[in-house]
Amino acid sequence: MGRYGNDAGAIMALVRKAEVHRDVYVDPEIFDLEMEHLFPNSWIYIGHASQLSKPGDFITANVGRQPLMASRHSDGAIHVFYNRCPHKGVKIASEPCGNTGKFFRCPYHAWSFKTDGSLLAIPLKKGYEGTGFPDTQASEGLAKVKNVVVYRDFIFVRLSDAGLSFADYFGESLSTIDNMVDRSPEGKLAVVAAPIRYMHNCNWKMLVENQTDTCHPMVAHESSAGTAVKVWKREQGDSTETPMAVQLYAPFMSPYEFYEQSGIRIWPNGHGHTGVANSIHSNYSDVEGYVEQMVATYGEKRAHEVLGEVRHNTIYFPNIMVKGAVQILRNFIPIAVDKTLVESWVYRLVGAPDKLYERALMYNRFINAPTSIVGHDDLEMYERAQEGLTSNGNQWVNLQRLHEPGEADDVTAVINGTSERQMRNQFHAWAKFMTMNMDKRVEAAE
């Protein structure tokens, strides 16, 4: 056992009111404890129901180090299982997605299971007669994840038996998902393409923090987005129309004052978003016919309420970011203490003009891809931080910007858009969900 083990006090001590210890980013033991405690205790996004449109469709995912799979059964219900055969433990599905037909078949010994997880058949089943097999867990089929919620087609799971309910965990923060879905004239989103997958050599929390860090864009992205803006201004000539590409990356060069006034909203349990009053998505050109479609569906007042909510980045703790205004979700998947796989998904607004999907795809390529205008700037900063945190000159990371004495935790508040309070909010949640149920697990082990 290492320095931290299952010592809740030692883990809590890594998070101060406005500082966190470097070990939360660089210590492999802390990473292992996150896999064991933090992710099972949290509600984790694993996929979208549109990826399971037909009976037999399946997707795979990991929560911490637990391999999972979700499938659509013949009655239309979605089921989530642990991705292992109850016989010898072989993973049933190794692909990210597919259609299994009417049943799953283990590739090792051909045990087969219905798409609701129940055991269908075993070769030479007579070999189990008189062995007590019906009384074993293996006879029940694939082990199901008990805590599953499909919220507006977003599939979330909590692996721990004990913890906050879905409603208590997310609360008002679900309004970002609501807004993204409501932007469809039919109230539906669809995944119709694979995500951009991009490996980052850094700790997963660096990516999460960066989503609400508004003091870096005009600095880190000056050489990329800043240069692109200068080139456009030089070359635009007599054009009065700003190309979609320039509309997407130019706002990254907005000044500090813009972000201060835009604001940040924090919610309990580590959730929060930038862009309360304004955001980098506010001034995109209208798409012909779209507003009229929305008004026809929702009425004038409600349609403008939906379209007027242009939040920038919403963090759903611990590890996804949602951009409702451009229908993008980024999943920060921890691989190792210094390695994170990022999946950037684009959702199509069902029934909306194709131009909106085109804009979302362009944003994803320009901002989130390894060959993007912007994303590689962030990656360089993450890698420099991962290396720099090995320095013994200072073992604490400062998150003190606009910190106020007596600052309350687990509250809803709107704050200055350049505050680091959302990062402090995330680390309060980190400590809480890292240590939740820890004492019970220690007692059980003893």
Side-chain angles (χ1 to χ4, degrees), residues 309-418:
E309 189 70 53
V310 285
R311 298 173 183 180
H312 181 183
N313 293 342
T314 295
I315 285 296
Y316 286 114
F317 185 83
N319 69 320
I320 63 169
M321 183 276 285
V322 170
K323 277 183 175 292
V326 285
Q327 298 81 58
I328 287 174
L329 179 149
R330 302 185 76 200
N331 193 4
F332 308 117
I333 303 171
I335 305 298
V337 69
D338 57 356
K339 193 173 293 293
T340 305
L341 176 64
V342 182
E343 293 184 341
S344 296
W345 295 85
V346 178
Y347 302 84
R348 189 178 194 121
L349 295 171
V350 176
D354 290 343
K355 195 75 171 179
L356 288 166
Y357 188 53
E358 177 188 337
R359 183 169 70 191
L361 290 171
M362 181 179 286
Y363 186 98
N364 207 28
R365 292 196 306 272
F366 275 16
I367 311 304
N368 299 327
T371 54
S372 70
I373 297 289
V374 172
H376 61 274
D377 293 333
D378 293 318
L379 176 59
E380 181 180 350
M381 296 305 107
Y382 304 146
E383 291 182 343
R384 286 189 178 199
Q386 197 72 40
E387 294 176 6
L389 285 170
T390 63
S391 166
N392 292 326
N394 182 356
Q395 297 191 14
W396 292 89
V397 174
N398 188 281
L399 301 175
Q400 206 157 5
R401 181 168 176 76
L402 295 175
H403 177 264
E404 297 178 0
E407 193 172 84
D409 297 317
D410 280 332
V411 296
T412 298
V414 174
I415 56 179
N416 184 296
T418 63

Side-chain angles (χ1 to χ4, degrees), residues 209-229:
E209 291 171 44
N210 189 67
Q211 306 310 302
T212 56
D213 182 336
T214 60
C215 288
H216 84 274
M218 67 294 293
V219 181
H221 304 310
E222 183 177 9
S223 62
S224 55
T227 299
V229 170

